[in-house]
Amino acid sequence: DYETMMAESAEKRKTDSQTLTEKESQKADVEAELQAQTEGKAAAEKELSATLEYIASLHSECDWLIQYYDVRKEARTGEIDSIVKAKAILSGADYSLVQQGRTPSSAGAPLERAAAGAHSCRAREDEAWLGRSCAT
């Protein structure tokens, strides 16, 4: 009876030892996985922070564009008018007798017509140089 109890105890210690080894191995695997997940989470949080910072910068840039849209639109319109005038002058238009103080909607009309006429004259010169005829 004592010998069977000792044999069973020895067998139980052997089984418990193997179980303990397996559980320690599983624990080490789980801890390694936890470490990897923790590092992945830290990297994801860093990326999220950078993305949020980028979105904030885009938002402030968009706010600036919206705030100064009218000013920029007026500046672009003025630049376009200046380019049309310069193009007309370079094409031979004479502005010495042009009246000043017209309304903004009608002020650019003569310039646009002069520029369009200059363009058609330029087209005629180019076609004549190439030996073609201009139908306009």
Side-chain angles (χ1 to χ4, degrees), residues 44-109:
E45 286 176 347
K46 185 176 180 182
E47 183 179 352
L48 175 63
S49 174
T51 302
L52 290 175
E53 185 177 320
Y54 178 68
I55 289 171
S57 72
L58 286 178
H59 185 64
S60 64
E61 184 177 333
C62 185
D63 288 346
W64 184 87
L65 289 172
I66 290 171
Q67 180 180 0
Y68 292 105
Y69 174 77
D70 293 332
V71 174
R72 292 172 60 239
K73 183 178 177 183
E74 289 176 21
R76 272 193 313 275
T77 303
E79 289 174 2
I80 290 170
D81 289 344
S82 297
I83 289 172
V84 168
K85 287 179 186 177
K87 191 174 174 184
I89 289 172
L90 290 173
S91 298
D94 185 15
Y95 286 107
S96 61
L97 300 176
V98 174
Q99 280 185 327
Q100 300 296 325
R102 293 184 182 190
T103 61
S105 62
S106 65

